[in-house]
Amino acid sequence: MVPLYLSVITVTYNAEKTLQRTLESVERQSFVSCVEHIIIDGASRDGTLALVEAYRERNPEMRIIVKSERDKGIYDAMNKGLLAASGTFVCFLNAGDRLHCDSLLESVFSNRDYSRVGVIYGNTDIVDDEGAFLSHRRLAPPEKLTWRSFRDGMLVCHQSFYARRELCEPYDLRYRFSADFDWCIRVMEKAESGYTLLYMREPVFTDYLAEGVTTRNRMKSLRERFRIMSHHYGLVSTLLYHGWFVVRLLLKH
């Protein structure tokens, strides 16, 4: 039996304009037999579900799970995806995002022993609405990532962060825009108790659509991140770090 290495979770709502390239990036993977694709839809009213049904029909050999119903927001939908997942690792690839190249998952998972790996992470490129390259992500992940690393911000794009499923707790629905930041910290805290972490510099993991829920609500997201950092690292430490951010910004000018 072929091992199921990865559960790719895609959350959608009225996403017919951007979803196709996400679906195609999964079905073109050379390692597709080791992947399940879980699509959690928020009861779309456009052509999203027609795209998903066509995707299922042309890929009968793939394990594709589809659930469409109203939800309480993106992180509630992600929690539903986690509950449905059965892969060793999980990743989130939202509508408009795509796996960077057709051989990505083969590069990540073939000929490796992942029995004690808790998190695999890599680099991210930013793309526009048409999927064209804009830039490399400004924050690059460090060679050695820890749960304390996130005091410097979201150093790893959520879509380029593959977490062992047994380490994944539900997203905290108190956070509307930055629950992924909190979630990654909690996964990392658990991973550091008995698991190793693997950073893959090449290939790039994800082409990330520049315009998302967080970027459209940047100030609200930043305020949530401050609350999250205060919870995990303490208020005084968080205030000192933010003071250093301001000083560093001024020094650049």
Side-chain angles (χ1 to χ4, degrees), residues 30-85:
S30 53
F31 228 45
V32 74
S33 61
C34 300
V35 179
E36 69 176 1
H37 198 174
I38 301 167
I39 300 168
I40 306 295
D41 179 71
S44 291
R45 296 189 295 263
D46 64 356
T48 297
L49 291 176
L51 288 176
V52 172
E53 186 55 35
Y55 175 61
R56 294 179 74 170
E57 289 178 358
R58 67 177 180 265
N59 294 288
E61 77 288 355
M62 282 182 63
R63 178 176 168 83
I64 300 172
I65 301 169
V66 181
K67 187 172 187 176
S68 182
E69 62 184 18
R70 297 188 67 176
D71 54 52
K72 299 175 184 176
I74 188 170
Y75 296 115
D76 180 41
M78 289 179 174
N79 282 340
K80 293 178 182 180
L82 286 175
L83 285 173

Side-chain angles (χ1 to χ4, degrees), residues 34-247:
C34 300
V35 179
E36 69 176 1
H37 198 174
I38 301 167
I39 300 168
I40 306 295
D41 179 71
S44 291
R45 296 189 295 263
D46 64 356
T48 297
L49 291 176
L51 288 176
V52 172
E53 186 55 35
Y55 175 61
R56 294 179 74 170
E57 289 178 358
R58 67 177 180 265
N59 294 288
E61 77 288 355
M62 282 182 63
R63 178 176 168 83
I64 300 172
I65 301 169
V66 181
K67 187 172 187 176
S68 182
E69 62 184 18
R70 297 188 67 176
D71 54 52
K72 299 175 184 176
I74 188 170
Y75 296 115
D76 180 41
M78 289 179 174
N79 282 340
K80 293 178 182 180
L82 286 175
L83 285 173
S86 55
T88 302
F89 292 86
V90 300
C91 78
F92 290 88
L93 193 71
N94 292 334
D97 304 329
R98 65 189 179 200
L99 302 177
H100 181 74
C101 61
D102 296 351
S103 60
L104 171 66
L105 298 184
E106 184 173 4
S107 298
V108 172
F109 289 108
S110 65
N111 301 316
R112 297 177 187 272
D113 177 12
Y114 286 104
S115 58
R116 300 310 305 167
V117 175
V119 174
I120 309 163
Y121 62 102
N123 291 299
T124 305
D125 284 346
I126 308 299
V127 300
D128 65 15
D129 288 340
E130 302 301 320
F133 173 81
L134 292 176
S135 66
H136 300 303
R137 189 170 185 263
R138 183 179 62 84
L139 291 177
E143 293 280 351
K144 292 184 179 180
L145 187 72
T146 75
W147 71 275
R148 295 176 182 83
S149 301
F150 289 87
R151 289 181 297 185
D152 292 320
M154 192 69 169
L155 296 181
V156 182
C157 180
H158 188 213
Q159 284 79 352
S160 299
F161 185 92
Y162 295 6
R164 183 171 287 274
R165 182 166 53 89
E166 64 203 63
L167 300 176
C168 297
E169 298 176 354
Y171 288 83
D172 189 335
L173 301 186
R174 292 177 298 174
Y175 304 119
R176 295 182 57 203
F177 307 107
S178 294
D180 52 341
F181 183 59
D182 169 71
W183 184 82
C184 286
I185 294 172
R186 288 188 285 125
V187 168
M188 290 293 300
E189 284 184 287
K190 292 179 70 174
E192 288 179 30
S193 300
Y195 289 96
T196 60
L197 299 140
L198 176 63
Y199 171 47
M200 294 187 65
R201 186 180 298 276
E202 296 289 345
V204 170
F205 273 31
T206 313
D207 293 340
Y208 175 71
L209 181 61
E211 180 66 17
V213 172
T214 299
T215 53
R216 289 195 301 268
N217 297 275
R218 181 161 181 77
M219 291 310 299
K220 293 178 181 178
S221 174
L222 289 174
R223 285 194 290 269
E224 281 194 355
R225 288 192 185 190
F226 185 89
R227 289 169 52 201
I228 291 165
M229 290 174 69
S230 297
H231 171 73
H232 288 286
Y233 307 124
L235 177 60
V236 173
S237 175
T238 300
L239 286 170
L240 289 172
Y241 257 80
H242 279 73
W244 167 238
F245 292 157
V246 173
V247 171

